[in-house]
Amino acid sequence: DDDDFARIEHDFGKQIRLRAQVGYFDHLFRFAQPVAATSRYASGAGEFVDQPNDRLDFDAQLRFPITDAWFLIVGAAANRNSLDRLTYAASYWREFDSRTAITYEGRGASRTTALFAQSELLATGWLALYAGGRVDWWNTEGEVIQNTAPAFDQVYGRRTDRQFSPKLAAVAT
């Protein structure tokens, strides 16, 4: 597995501040399991599943003043996920090299991209007011192939969606 993360914060002066971060996770997930009714703890047929997946996340925001007590925050975010899965039949579920055939394949990916903006008003020494919104664009696609009865190959074409989320908040500090 690989898990990496980086963050940067920079103050440009005059209350202008940048925050950005990126993270990456690569998970090499693999497991074995026996066939339910016919295998034993130490022997028998089974299957091996190889399921690598990864994820990449990024977001950045810039905060700058309109007045001494009123700030605008703008930013962007992005996320990408992918998953690939292979399931192998095995004559001996405890031995990886006993794989005989691929019985199932699945793969897919999704992506989300977003832009956001919000106004921050420091109304008093103890009250902050926020108003803003975020728009997200999302897409996904994938495929599933089963090589055992009932065999099939199902392609899930690219699907997309968009969502606007408003924000209104009062925060006492």
Side-chain angles (χ1 to χ4, degrees):
D1 289 357
D2 184 20
D3 190 4
D4 301 305
F5 180 80
R7 177 183 300 168
I8 184 170
E9 294 189 21
H10 183 71
D11 190 348
F12 292 100
K14 298 184 181 181
Q15 296 185 320
I16 301 171
R17 186 173 44 224
L18 172 69
R19 289 183 183 167
Q21 57 191 22
V22 63
Y24 176 73
F25 180 67
D26 187 10
H27 184 50
L28 303 174
F29 186 54
R30 177 182 277 178
F31 63 92
Q33 59 190 15
V35 174
T38 61
S39 296
R40 302 281 184 250
Y41 175 75
S43 66
E47 61 185 18
F48 286 97
V49 178
D50 192 11
Q51 184 172 300
N53 57 83
D54 64 18
R55 177 183 177 115
L56 177 64
D57 295 292
F58 169 79
D59 67 77
Q61 66 180 35
L62 182 66
R63 181 179 186 259
F64 55 93
I66 305 297
T67 69
D68 287 342
W70 182 25
F71 297 87
L72 184 61
I73 301 165
V74 296
N79 166 275
R80 180 188 52 82
N81 293 290
S82 69
L83 173 80
D84 292 302
R85 180 180 174 137
L86 289 173
T87 302
Y88 300 89
S91 58
Y92 177 48
W93 76 274
R94 292 248 178 217
E95 178 59 49
F96 184 74
D97 289 333
S98 74
R99 295 173 295 159
T100 57
I102 295 173
T103 59
Y104 174 89
E105 298 177 58
R107 63 186 132 283
S110 70
R111 291 164 207 76
T112 304
T113 307
L115 296 174
F116 56 90
Q118 78 176 19
S119 175
E120 175 185 23
L121 178 62
L122 305 175
T124 68
W126 59 270
L127 181 65
L129 303 173
Y130 297 91
R134 174 181 169 127
V135 62
D136 288 270
W137 294 271
W138 170 82
N139 69 67
T140 187
E141 57 194 328
E143 180 178 19
V144 175
I145 302 168
Q146 183 167 302
N147 298 320
T148 58
F152 62 87
D153 183 346
Q154 177 67 51
V155 174
Y156 296 95
R158 185 178 174 138
R159 292 170 292 168
T160 61
D161 204 354
R162 179 182 63 226
Q163 175 72 41
F164 176 74
S165 303
K167 177 180 181 178
L168 210 55
V171 179
T173 57

